[in-house]
Amino acid sequence: MPRTDFHSPDYYQIDDLLTDEQKLVRGAIRDFVNREIMPIIEDCAQKAYFPEFIVKKFGEVGAFGPTIPQEYGGGGLDYISYGLMMQEIERGDSGMRSTASVQGSLVMFPIFKYGSEEQKKKYLPKLASGEFLGCFGLTEPDHGSNPSAMVTNFKDMGDHYLLNGAKMWITNSPKADIAVVWAKNEEGRIRGLIVERGMEGFTTPETHHKWSLRASITGELVFDNVKVPKENLLPLADGLSGPLRCLDSARYGIAWGAIGAAMDCYETARKYAIERHQFGKPIAGFQLTQRKLAEMITEITKAQLLAWRLGTLKNEGKATTPQISMAKRNNVHMAITIAREARQILGGMGITGEFPIMRHMMNLESVITYEGTHDIHQLITGSDITGISAFK
Amino acid sequence: MKILVCISNVPDTTSKISFTDNNTKLNTSGIQFIIGPYDEYALSRAIELKEAAGGTVTVLNVGEADTEPTIRKALAIGADDAIRVNAFPKDAFYVASQIAAIAKSENYDLILMGRESIDYNSGLVHGLVGELLGIPSVSPVMKLDVEGGKAVMSREIEGGKEIVEASLPLVAGCQEPIAEWKIPNMRGIMSARTKPLKVVEPASVTDNIKLLNYELPAPKGACKMIDASTPEKLFDLLKNEAKVL
């Protein structure tokens, strides 16, 4: 039966702030997640299996690059719609949201923002439809929070560039058709290159034995004298600001996505607490349980308002990097805290795959680290409000 | 092929129902409205038929302006245009009369809708529309194929199914598994912004039924568990407490 059997917690009638179209987008992605992701995700996570077929389905429903203009195959939607999509997908699983986030914010966005017209026409429609899967190479084995110290580099060989180096912790890499890679040129400037699977010397070994984002595929990007055609250089990105703008876009999606994971944990715990009886009454009737649930809905409500306001600023072109950073940090921390508290309400059942909580909790350990760690985001806010950088 | 799909705007199936105005109006506060689930199957089949053989799909809703988000969803799913008859859908005859008034002048090959709405569940509208237009109506239809100006349909009947054939035009009340229900994609949602939605004033229909008030079912009582080893207790309770024996 076509129906939506999940209602987002909406303690402050935040739905009244959404347009009918935004609610339609949320409903569509919610139905998509209920139909395509919920039935398989626990099994995929248990088996550390990336359901590759979901890439095509994400493309069909329009989950890739929803804010990219329609002429390049995107959705042409606003940022609150994009945020709501990420929320719904991450209600299913952070790994699935990571797949969509990377494709939209870290691959399509830089090609749209910094690419030539030829590059946009060549890659964006295929990425939007899911025919191509993309990945984003910034982090290196020895350079995580400090990407400006990267060592991956390329040399101008006249008719091509020669790329050398390695990237690590790259979502989608083992299955990616293309990689947007950030590397230093001979003058030490960070530039973006589009590297295609099949280029000689380019390999993507998988990272195994993760306890987090197990349904998402992660790997490395290794460049051993890779000849990259000159037309694959992103002409309009010059310097670290290029990849950092991409991260702004991805962090924005994470700020919304984390709410989805938190909602799933909260709703699971609330329902369980009402049904589970101990000492002759539902455990929801005990003060300590109510305290946990009350804190959860309060924090979700605050996170929803933060995300909605940030989305409005994004739509007006006014959202700043520190504002996005704050929302990412706050909302992911909120979600992981709720996952841990929800797990306690479920007792022993909380650690099993019968319920989604432990999976969300383990996923969120990655989410709180990637796209800028929790600590680094605190320093971004600290630097913004004091004018003094603490991480240089 | 020219297809009309009639959709209802109904509370989500998980809604908590309550009333206002001395129990004469549904309390819509906090209720999410959706396309009637059976109507959504009808819409999905209409779009499949259009994709296979060409044609147009028009959606029709009898409802006031607040039903437009539901109509936009139908457009996002793939209908080409929409008509809203600007009136509160008072009862089955009223709704059927409005549909017939529109359909009379439009020569639709197929008029599809759900087997019933999920708010009042009368299951009458498709039959009434067929009668008002003087064309066949079949329900509940679980399979529908069209070929050579005829429709072949599979109906669920007691203990099995029945295969029937009817000439077009016809009315069908649909239910699963007539089609796989469709989720609108983002491009569909964007294109729904600009698809035509025509608002027409209702035809004059005599009120046959007057609503007095609604009542909710009595709340369920607490459940008493009786040990299997003492069946006499059950007889005692049924006889002396429930007084049904």
Side-chain angles (χ1 to χ4, degrees), chain B:
Chain B
M1 191 157 36
K2 197 170 164 183
I3 308 174
L4 180 71
V5 179
C6 307
I7 60 168
S8 52
N9 177 64
V10 295
D12 186 9
T13 49
T14 56
S15 303
K16 283 188 182 142
I17 300 297
S18 62
F19 303 105
T20 59
D21 295 27
N22 287 328
N23 289 338
T24 58
K25 278 190 179 157
L26 174 70
N27 179 7
T28 55
S29 169
I31 287 194
Q32 191 180 334
F33 282 86
I34 59 170
I35 302 175
Y38 294 117
D39 303 328
E40 204 165 334
Y41 281 113
L43 175 63
S44 297
R45 184 60 188 144
I47 290 164
E48 286 176 1
L49 290 169
K50 182 188 104 167
E51 284 170 354
T56 57
V57 174
T58 300
V59 287
L60 187 155
N61 169 255
V62 180
E64 292 167 326
D66 57 357
T67 69
E68 289 199 1
T70 299
I71 299 172
R72 287 280 169 213
K73 183 178 178 188
L75 292 169
I77 288 172
D80 299 287
D81 60 349
I83 301 166
R84 179 172 68 80
V85 177
N86 187 28
F88 184 76
K90 292 173 204 164
D91 57 50
F93 181 72
Y94 184 85
V95 172
S97 300
Q98 301 305 332
I99 295 170
I102 300 281
K104 255 177 199 151
S105 57
E106 290 292 333
N107 298 318
Y108 295 107
D109 299 299
L110 278 175
I111 300 175
L112 305 183
M113 63 190 78
R115 59 177 286 176
E116 63 192 65
S117 62
I118 60 152
D119 46 7
Y120 295 94
N121 302 78
S122 73
L124 294 171
V125 174
H126 36 75
L128 289 168
V129 171
E131 284 299 308
L132 289 166
L133 293 173
I135 59 175
S137 69
V138 184
S139 181
V141 176
M142 300 166 71
K143 191 169 185 293
L144 167 67
D145 290 303
V146 178
E147 209 174 311
K150 284 182 179 166
V152 178
M153 292 160 281
S154 172
R155 279 182 76 233
E156 189 175 50
I157 55 170
E158 190 68 33
K161 62 181 179 180
E162 175 183 78
I163 314 297
V164 297
E165 183 186 274
S167 59
L168 301 184
L170 69 85
V171 184
C174 305
Q175 73 166 62
E176 75 277 17
I178 193 165
E180 188 181 358
W181 59 277
K182 297 188 187 313
I183 295 171
N185 64 29
M186 299 307 117
R187 283 173 282 283
I189 290 172
M190 284 293 284
S191 67
R193 281 181 187 173
T194 51
K195 285 182 178 174
L197 194 172
K198 188 166 75 176
V199 179
V200 299
E201 288 308 311
S204 174
V205 177
T206 310
D207 276 344
N208 293 314
I209 296 173
K210 187 178 174 215
L211 171 80
L212 299 179
N213 67 290
Y214 296 110
E215 281 179 23
L216 287 172
K220 282 183 188 168
C223 182
K224 284 187 181 172
M225 302 298 288
I226 295 161
D227 196 284
S229 63
T230 56
E232 65 278 7
K233 274 194 182 169
L234 174 64
F235 287 107
D236 180 54
L237 286 168
L238 288 171
K239 190 172 179 187
N240 298 318
E241 191 175 306
K243 297 187 192 318
V244 293
L245 292 180

Side-chain angles (χ1 to χ4, degrees), chain A residues 303-314:
Chain A
Q304 285 175 308
L305 288 165
L306 196 64
W308 178 84
R309 177 63 189 146
L310 185 65
T312 306
L313 290 171
K314 272 286 256 185

Side-chain angles (χ1 to χ4, degrees), chain A residues 132-365:
Chain A
F132 273 8
L133 183 66
C135 66
F136 174 89
L138 178 66
T139 298
E140 297 186 352
D142 294 325
H143 307 282
S145 294
N146 180 18
S148 62
M150 67 170 64
V151 296
T152 299
N153 65 88
F154 63 97
K155 289 189 170 64
D156 189 338
M157 307 302 283
D159 62 343
H160 65 272
Y161 297 118
L162 198 64
L163 178 65
N164 278 289
K167 301 288 180 181
M168 201 172 181
W169 306 120
I170 311 301
T171 298
N172 296 350
S173 92
K175 299 283 184 186
D177 299 283
I178 66 165
V180 170
V181 177
W182 301 94
K184 284 181 177 166
N185 66 13
E186 288 156 283
E187 288 78 48
R189 295 289 296 174
I190 293 174
R191 304 294 305 266
L193 293 162
I194 302 169
V195 180
E196 297 183 26
R197 182 168 295 283
M199 288 181 175
E200 201 177 332
F202 173 43
T203 52
T204 58
E206 186 177 347
T207 304
H208 293 287
H209 308 307
K210 293 179 296 172
W211 282 121
S212 180
L213 302 179
R214 286 167 62 81
S216 155
I217 195 159
T218 312
E220 300 168 44
L221 301 173
V222 181
F223 313 105
D224 180 11
N225 287 318
V226 180
K227 287 182 184 173
V228 181
K230 285 203 150 174
E231 64 265 25
N232 284 26
L233 181 79
L234 294 175
L236 303 177
D238 186 11
L240 189 60
S241 65
L244 293 187
R245 290 291 84 74
C246 302
L247 293 178
D248 274 352
S249 175
R251 288 167 184 169
Y252 171 78
I254 294 169
W256 281 90
I259 298 171
M263 283 175 173
D264 200 32
C265 293
Y266 163 75
E267 273 300 316
T268 304
R270 191 183 64 84
K271 283 180 188 158
Y272 187 89
I274 291 168
E275 286 168 12
R276 169 78 170 166
H277 284 66
Q278 288 291 284
F279 304 104
K281 65 176 184 178
I283 60 170
F286 292 103
Q287 290 185 355
L288 287 174
T289 309
Q290 287 195 1
R291 177 175 180 266
K292 287 186 176 76
L293 293 169
E295 289 291 346
M296 287 183 198
I297 189 63
T298 308
E299 291 307 314
I300 287 172
T301 303
K302 285 151 71 177
Q304 285 175 308
L305 288 165
L306 196 64
W308 178 84
R309 177 63 189 146
L310 185 65
T312 306
L313 290 171
K314 272 286 256 185
N315 282 339
E316 293 168 356
K318 292 195 281 196
T320 65
T321 296
Q323 284 171 333
I324 296 166
S325 162
M326 178 185 281
K328 189 267 185 187
R329 170 173 57 85
N330 181 78
N331 289 9
V332 178
H333 186 257
M334 171 279 298
I336 202 167
T337 306
I338 284 177
R340 289 168 182 161
E341 293 287 301
R343 211 288 304 150
Q344 292 213 45
I345 290 177
L346 265 73
M349 291 308 291
I351 69 160
T352 72
E354 298 297 311
F355 293 93
I357 292 173
M358 194 84 178
R359 175 168 52 79
H360 282 306
M361 192 203 300
M362 294 194 299
N363 283 341
L364 289 163
E365 291 291 346

